Amino acid sequence: MGIERFIDLRSDTVTVPTPQMREAMATAAVGDDVYGEDPTVNELEARSAELMGKEAGLFLPSGTMANQVAILAHTDRGDEVIVDSESHIFYYELAAPAVAGGVQLHPVPALHSPTALDRLTAAIRPQSLLFPRTKLICLENTHNRLGGTVTPPTVMEAIYTTAHDHGLVVHLDGARIFNAAVYLGLPAREIARWSDSVMFCLSKGLAAPVGSVLTGSRSFIDRARKYRKLLGGGMRQAGILAAAGLVALETMIDRLSEDHANAKHLAEGLAKIAGIKLDLNTVQTNIVICDIEKTGLNPDEFISGLKANGVLANSFGGNLIRFIAHKDVKRADIEQALEVIRSVVARKTR
Ligand code: TLP
């Protein structure tokens, strides 16, 4: 008998829109957004800017495009951008800053650690005929490859101050900024304030079908709007998508704590399985990363063993596996997933 329903822990991007989102999409007022005439997009952009404590917002099709438009709007060709060496921008965005902007990324290890300021200042280029100009620092909060961990606002403040002291600007990849906000018990703008621009995703834990919003100063967003068009991201009656985004902002932020509790529960269960290694201190939000080396299974065997029993997870490089909790997995699904993982590992070690 085939599997009727997978427990999909690969990512929070797999979440499907809620009935309230579909209803709002069906009835959304729309216009041509390239002319700036879509009332629902305009409302989403204004609401997003307000939530981030910025002057203006720009609705984009994806988080990747939002990060890349931000980089293009902050830099000139030949500039250098400091990023964390495990950041999404460096790791997963296909060298887009080089391809689209002629910009070089300068990766710094553990840029988000409280002790990184020395490494950061060492990475800022002195003015010289020989060096590119450092222009921008990109941060990520929560941090995907670091297991959804939260960078405290105090650490962001120190980086932001250092950046401004050197005439640089800061962009925040806040794809999951609301997870960080819920973890910290702070409004998102208290995190966003330590950046000049911030983008967040509507289509991850917030469960909207499509879209991210980039926010910043009015003049920055005016520039970003041109780059969005240049990259082919100018959408027309996009209010249909923005309507779901507005519902996401209204109804889906507070419930992220449920995902965090489910991720914690999953992590605690995983930590008890012989051969699985993980640091419970890093499980702060909805992401769980564990090391399966000592189970004797390689990641392909582990992932396909799970899949054959109805559980989906992602291989995360080396012996690492990533699971993400989200609104379409309930506590009972987490229990079931743990059951499956226990039996897949036990079969190997037997
Ligand atoms: N992350 C995806 C994959 O690309 C890895 C995921 O499943 O986690 N910033 C961060 C921190 C992200 O995690 C992601 C998506 C993005 C940007 C890009 O967003 P999209 O997928 O909308 O382009």
Side-chain angles (χ1 to χ4, degrees), residues 39-61:
T40 311
V41 171
N42 292 343
E43 187 184 338
L44 174 66
E45 291 179 345
R47 177 76 186 120
S48 300
E50 188 187 333
L51 282 170
M52 295 297 140
K54 307 289 184 207
E55 282 173 9
L58 183 69
F59 184 48
L60 293 113

Side-chain angles (χ1 to χ4, degrees), residues 144-162:
N144 185 345
R145 288 194 57 80
L146 300 185
T149 47
V150 176
T151 302
T154 46
V155 173
M156 290 191 58
E157 178 182 2
I159 294 173
Y160 179 80
T161 308
T162 304

